[in-house]
Amino acid sequence: MITNQALQNTVDGLKNITRKEISVLDREGKIVASTELDYNPDLQPIIEAFVNSPAENQLVQGYQYFKVFDNSLAEYVVILPGEDEDTYRVGKIVTFHIQSLMMAYKERFDRDNFIKNLLLDNLLLVDIYSRAKKLRIDNDVRRVVYLIETTLDPDMSALEIVRGIFPDRPRDFVTAVDENSIILVKEISDRDSTTEIEQVANMVVDTLSSEAMSKVYVAIGAVVKDLKDVSNSFKEARLAQEVGKIFEADKQIVNYERLGIGRLIYQLPLPLCRIFINEMLQGFSIEDIDEEMFATVMKFFENDLNVSETSRELYIHRNTLVYRLDKLQKMTKLDLRKFSDAITFKITLMVNKYLSYREKQAF
């Protein structure tokens, strides 16, 4: 249904054009929008009688009344003071404008409802195509789902901000999942690459971060070519969101198609993870590694096991770095200067992180 604010903006704009005072009331006679400062409450009985009458418009006591219908039911009553033909014409224009606004809102609601049910797999296959045809939604085009997680001040609407970024509503769909999550189902062209798809996510992050001063996290599903597969892209975006929070918590954008080994580790059963940790570390705990040592290891991995480059970036002597690596080797029995040991330790760190994440969720 149309918001009262949308109706108020409409009557304010029409008053500026027509120079006529305009009031809009619901079928119970309650004012929802008005440009008149002094509304006459004595009109209440007249409104009730008018709503229940078969007339579409009438003139009573110097006011002209017009019904705004929704499926043959009077949803609103438009009132203008004046008995002349010009007032009647303006009243019909206002009625037509609100009627069109209602249809637009209803279509958007129907589309949002369709997309939500599509994402949640609440539609039969035959219903997907038939309803999409009625709503003028193309079937065989490339689409991708963006799952946007944000925390906003209650007075601001991240949903409306994102809708403002993507105003092409016949092609792009923006809907809310919960109070902190928004889904963008975006149509893309055959020429759009992974880089260009991620640029859209960057645009969302930049806009919400600057306009709403909000922390934003965007997960991207895989590209699909059929409307029925949009729900799969949504599930993949959810998976990317979960995996990203475990293994790439420092990133604001995570793409399902770039999850790498994290996708495999995420699907491992917890008992197998514990067996792997015990086998690799032989009783040693990752938590025993101090922050300095851990930072050294991470930088060493970032520089592809290059000792000289790592020591330079850490502002330490090469011998100091070698000493730290030797110390870690004594603790773990793994020499990170060897590729096989380095990859083993890297995977061990990821499995340990996944295991810790799962154990925290259990409590």
Side-chain angles (χ1 to χ4, degrees):
M1 189 53 63
I2 310 175
T3 64
N4 290 357
Q5 185 59 53
L7 285 171
Q8 187 63 53
N9 292 339
T10 298
V11 297
D12 286 341
L14 290 171
K15 178 189 175 180
N16 290 335
I17 297 171
T18 64
R19 305 301 179 185
K20 297 284 187 180
E21 300 294 344
I22 305 167
S23 297
V24 182
L25 296 83
D26 60 21
R27 55 181 296 102
E28 283 78 32
K30 180 182 177 181
I31 297 178
V32 293
S34 179
T35 61
E36 288 192 272
L37 298 178
D38 299 320
Y39 174 73
N40 186 359
D42 295 336
L43 298 176
Q44 184 78 19
I46 300 174
I47 294 169
E48 292 178 359
F50 174 57
V51 168
N52 295 318
S53 73
E56 294 187 9
N57 59 274
Q58 68 179 25
L59 172 63
V60 181
Q61 298 180 6
Y63 282 86
Q64 298 202 41
Y65 298 77
F66 304 85
K67 288 180 182 176
V68 181
F69 292 97
D70 181 19
N71 292 330
S72 302
L73 183 67
E75 189 69 31
Y76 296 108
V77 175
V78 174
I79 304 177
L80 287 85
E83 302 181 3
D84 56 278
E85 182 69 22
D86 188 48
T87 301
Y88 172 81
R89 188 180 300 107
V90 171
K92 295 296 285 186
I93 292 173
V94 173
T95 303
F96 176 78
H97 193 85
I98 295 176
Q99 186 87 48
S100 300
L101 195 62
M102 287 175 58
M103 291 177 63
Y105 266 73
K106 190 173 182 179
E107 182 174 342
R108 191 176 84 174
F109 174 80
D110 289 344
R111 282 168 163 258
D112 283 352
N113 191 48
F114 171 73
I115 290 298
K116 285 180 181 179
N117 285 314
L118 180 65
L119 292 168
L120 298 175
D121 281 331
N122 290 338
L123 297 172
L124 296 174
L125 187 61
V126 65
D127 291 334
I128 292 176
Y129 299 126
S130 61
R131 291 185 61 182
K133 186 176 181 180
K134 290 179 181 178
L135 295 170
R136 300 188 298 279
I137 298 174
D138 293 333
N139 171 45
D140 52 350
V141 297
R142 298 175 80 234
R143 291 184 174 92
V144 64
V145 172
Y146 297 82
L147 181 56
I148 305 163
E149 183 179 318
T150 181
T151 52
L152 264 187
D153 187 284
D155 294 332
M156 300 191 70
S157 173
L159 183 63
E160 292 306 319
I161 293 175
V162 176
R163 279 179 175 159
I165 303 173
F166 306 98
D168 191 3
R169 290 174 183 166
R171 295 181 177 275
D172 302 328
F173 304 94
V174 180
T175 187
V177 181
D178 53 48
E179 59 182 8
N180 293 326
S181 299
I182 298 167
I183 294 177
L184 164 65
V185 182
K186 180 157 182 52
E187 182 178 322
I188 59 175
S189 70
D190 294 334
R191 299 185 301 274
D192 289 338
S193 63
T194 301
T195 301
E196 289 164 322
I197 290 171
E198 291 179 351
Q199 284 176 352
V200 173
N202 277 309
M203 182 168 57
V204 172
V205 170
D206 292 342
T207 302
L208 285 175
S209 298
S210 60
E211 291 191 16
M213 302 298 289
S214 170
K215 186 175 181 181
V216 187
Y217 188 88
V218 180
I220 309 171
V223 176
V224 296
K225 298 180 181 179
D226 195 293
L227 194 60
K228 65 179 175 58
D229 296 324
V230 166
S231 61
N232 293 333
S233 184
F234 173 55
K235 292 170 187 174
E236 290 157 354
R238 277 194 179 279
L239 176 62
Q241 181 188 52
E242 189 81 3
V243 174
K245 287 182 177 180
I246 300 173
F247 301 114
E248 298 180 295
D250 57 325
K251 291 186 177 181
Q252 288 183 280
I253 298 172
V254 180
N255 192 335
Y256 175 81
E257 296 184 344
R258 295 183 187 268
L259 292 180
I261 195 171
R263 187 204 318 269
L264 298 177
I265 294 174
Y266 182 81
Q267 298 179 61
L268 293 176
L270 298 185
L272 185 60
C273 292
R274 295 188 182 97
I275 293 173
F276 178 80
I277 292 291
N278 292 333
E279 179 183 340
M280 292 299 103
L281 299 182
Q282 301 178 9
F284 174 74
S285 174
I286 296 294
E287 284 66 33
D288 293 335
I289 302 177
D290 58 46
E291 291 185 11
E292 183 181 59
M293 178 69 77
F294 194 80
T296 300
V297 171
M298 292 299 100
K299 184 60 69 174
F300 191 53
F301 285 151
E302 285 179 21
N303 289 301
D304 299 325
L305 313 185
N306 188 309
V307 174
S308 299
E309 185 64 22
T310 302
S311 59
R312 186 185 67 81
E313 291 190 13
L314 290 175
Y315 301 101
I316 59 176
H317 195 276
R318 178 189 175 92
N319 291 342
T320 303
L321 175 59
V322 171
Y323 169 77
R324 291 179 184 176
L325 295 177
D326 288 341
K327 182 179 178 182
L328 184 66
Q329 182 179 0
K330 291 179 181 178
M331 298 166 66
T332 64
K333 307 297 187 294
L334 295 171
D335 184 359
L336 300 193
R337 287 159 290 194
K338 296 180 180 179
F339 176 77
S340 58
D341 284 359
I343 195 65
T344 298
F345 190 66
K346 176 69 172 178
I347 294 174
T348 302
L349 289 177
M350 295 181 69
V351 172
N352 184 75
K353 186 179 288 188
Y354 171 66
L355 187 61
S356 299
Y357 178 83
R358 284 301 184 199
E359 289 176 344
K360 287 179 181 178
Q361 281 192 323
F363 292 99

